Amino acid sequence: RDISFCLSLFPYSDRCLKKLSENFACWSDKLHEDNVFENITTIFAGVKKGVGVAVGAEGRGAAKQMMEELEAKVEEAREKAVIDHKAEKNAVAAKEGKKKGREDD
């Protein structure tokens, strides 16, 4: 959470967006946390305002496409992470319930 917040404070260029995309696997499993997801969407909002400012028309199109692809990946990963996190919580609760049942015997 803290790192995602710090990342959301930086200004992002096209190169930074590319690095964020390249390292997607490092942070995608954390998207089940609302704060992390909000910080990532804050980064996207900032990037959308300034995507391709320092590049030509061809670069702007590529940056916009990369941004759209990354947003789609984040949305998909968010849905999967939320489902996985809920399943994990349910499994832990069920396991604890079984332990309590055994202790009562």
Side-chain angles (χ1 to χ4, degrees):
R1 289 179 294 205
D2 296 338
I3 292 174
S4 69
F5 173 73
C6 293
L7 288 173
S8 71
L9 298 176
F10 293 124
Y12 280 81
S13 67
D14 301 337
R15 285 181 46 196
C16 295
L17 183 62
K18 184 176 180 180
K19 288 295 182 186
L20 193 63
S21 180
E22 288 173 358
N23 293 300
F24 180 75
C26 297
W27 52 269
S28 63
D29 62 325
K30 314 303 186 282
L31 289 170
H32 66 87
E33 293 192 32
D34 292 334
N35 291 338
V36 174
F37 182 70
E38 288 172 14
N39 291 331
I40 296 298
T41 56
T42 300
I43 290 170
F44 290 160
V47 170
K48 283 181 182 178
K49 290 179 185 176
V51 157
V53 172
V55 296
E58 291 178 14
R60 249 182 252 128
K64 186 175 180 181
Q65 181 181 2
M66 182 175 26
M67 178 69 191
E68 290 171 355
E69 289 173 4
L70 184 57
E71 276 186 303
K73 283 173 57 175
V74 166
E75 289 295 329
E76 184 179 320
R78 162 75 172 179
E79 291 173 12
K80 183 182 181 307
V82 167
I83 291 169
D84 290 349
H85 185 68
K86 284 181 183 178
E88 185 178 322
K89 284 175 64 176
N90 290 341
V92 169
K95 188 175 182 179
E96 288 176 1
K98 287 182 181 179
K99 284 183 182 179
K100 286 182 181 179
R102 289 180 187 166
E103 291 173 3
D104 292 340
D105 291 340

